[in-house]
Amino acid sequence: MQLAILLEDFCHESTYIRGVSKNTIRRYRQNISYFITATDSQTIQKVNEQVVKKFFLHGRIEKQWKTSSYRTYYMTLVVFFRWCIKQGHLEQNPMEDFQLPILEKSLPKKLKKQEALLLLEYAYNYPYTQSYLKYRNHAIFSTFLFAGLRKSELLHLKLSDVDLENLTLFVRQGKGNKDRIIPISYTLAQSLNRYLLARKKSRKTCPEFFTSSNRNGGFTASGLKIITKQIKTASKLDFTIHKLRHTFATLMLEGGCDIFSLSKMMGHSDIKTTTIYLSATAEHLRSQVTKHPLNRK
């Protein structure tokens, strides 16, 4: 049986039966297609433990995969091979005796408070060709820094998801296909309101909250990449969109937010994921160490 055909069947079932997200399906396609090409395994009959082991060694030695990349390929292939066994295309999983390497515990990279403020200043004062871009881009970066949304969550935000009257954002089908409500601050609400006025003035009527400047449609990932590059160059700040999410989390903790509430706002399925930010903020740790009873006179 051709692996390419099995991959299509696997992705089809994962989408319509298991309800796997589009991002996960994209990862399945990319990783399994690369495995087929790299190992020259056109059929499932050619797949065995030695072929798979050689693939991972090549990735670690020649491609210099990080542990996170290794684990991503591992999780994709082990799920795919289990499916192949269930469908009767394999007798046993060629990755049955594989062990996952321990993931390095590196602190999430973030911007400092002053750097975050500087970013917002550049986003607002950049010499744009039209005023609409000033209000939209400031609102976009404000949403990342004040609400901690993921890139895909911001791009999929609908006009009806933003409730400025009740100061909430509704995230539809975030990571893990989970909905969540995020409270927003007055500062973010002001930025969003300025953008909505500019949006109305520009006669944007599409359902997406953030829109393109030259058409009546939703803002795109490529457009976000362009404005991120513009602000990075102008401000000389080294940041990514995901780094802004890390910045939101650490600043919230420094401001006194409890870890449980932060976990809910971030959309983490396991609070352990959120606890890494406790190590990333010296201010939070400093405030906690003062609680030692011997400090009291």
Side-chain angles (χ1 to χ4, degrees), residues 70-249:
Y70 183 104
R71 291 172 69 94
T72 299
Y73 278 105
Y74 174 93
M75 296 306 297
T76 299
L77 290 173
V78 78
V79 171
F80 175 61
F81 292 144
R82 283 173 186 165
W83 178 85
C84 288
I85 292 171
K86 187 178 179 181
Q87 301 301 314
H89 301 299
L90 274 177
E91 291 185 5
Q92 64 180 30
N93 197 324
M95 298 180 63
E96 191 172 320
D97 296 326
F98 275 48
Q99 290 187 339
L100 272 174
I102 297 174
L103 193 62
E104 301 98 338
K105 293 184 179 180
S106 56
L107 295 179
K109 296 179 180 179
K110 63 182 179 65
L111 295 179
K112 297 176 182 177
K113 179 182 176 181
Q114 291 305 317
E115 290 176 326
L117 291 172
L118 183 63
L119 187 156
L120 291 176
E121 191 174 319
Y122 271 95
Y124 190 79
N125 295 310
Y126 187 86
Y128 299 110
T129 55
Q130 50 183 298
S131 60
Y132 172 78
L133 295 175
K134 169 194 291 192
Y135 299 115
R136 186 201 63 186
N137 294 355
H138 185 268
I140 285 174
F141 287 112
S142 293
T143 303
F144 284 129
L145 286 168
F146 284 96
L149 266 63
R150 299 177 177 92
K151 179 175 70 174
S152 60
E153 293 171 345
L154 181 133
L155 293 175
H156 291 124
L157 204 62
K158 304 296 183 185
L159 195 61
S160 57
D161 296 334
V162 181
D163 186 350
L164 294 185
E165 184 177 346
N166 293 304
L167 296 176
T168 58
L169 291 180
F170 180 59
V171 177
R172 299 174 183 271
Q173 299 294 287
K175 189 174 181 179
N177 295 328
K178 299 189 297 290
D179 294 341
R180 73 182 189 277
I181 295 176
I182 303 174
I184 60 178
S185 66
Y186 286 105
T187 304
L188 175 55
Q190 287 176 336
S191 179
L192 295 178
N193 189 55
R194 285 195 298 266
Y195 161 66
L196 285 175
L197 292 174
R199 184 186 195 276
K200 185 177 181 180
K201 189 176 180 180
S202 298
R203 298 179 181 179
K204 306 290 186 182
T205 58
C206 61
E208 292 81 9
F209 186 78
F210 291 110
T211 69
S212 171
S213 61
N214 55 10
R215 62 185 179 84
N216 189 21
F219 195 48
T220 63
S222 59
L224 181 59
K225 188 175 181 180
I226 290 171
I227 67 168
T228 299
K229 185 177 179 180
Q230 286 177 338
I231 302 305
K232 282 179 67 175
T233 302
S235 66
K236 295 182 172 56
L237 291 171
D238 182 22
F239 71 91
T240 63
I241 296 304
H242 205 64
K243 193 172 183 178
L244 300 186
R245 178 170 159 85
H246 294 324
T247 302
F248 162 78

Side-chain angles (χ1 to χ4, degrees), residues 56-68:
F56 279 97
L57 284 173
H58 175 77
R60 282 295 249 180
I61 299 170
E62 301 297 329
K63 295 293 183 178
Q64 296 185 335
W65 287 348
K66 294 181 179 179
T67 302
S68 57

Side-chain angles (χ1 to χ4, degrees), residues 1-8 32 35-36 39 41-47 80-81 84:
M1 176 68 78
Q2 293 288 316
L3 272 172
I5 295 175
L6 291 179
L7 172 58
E8 288 304 311
I32 297 172
F35 171 79
I36 295 171
T39 62
S41 300
Q42 300 302 317
T43 64
I44 191 67
Q45 288 75 20
K46 290 186 176 181
V47 177
F80 175 61
F81 292 144
C84 288

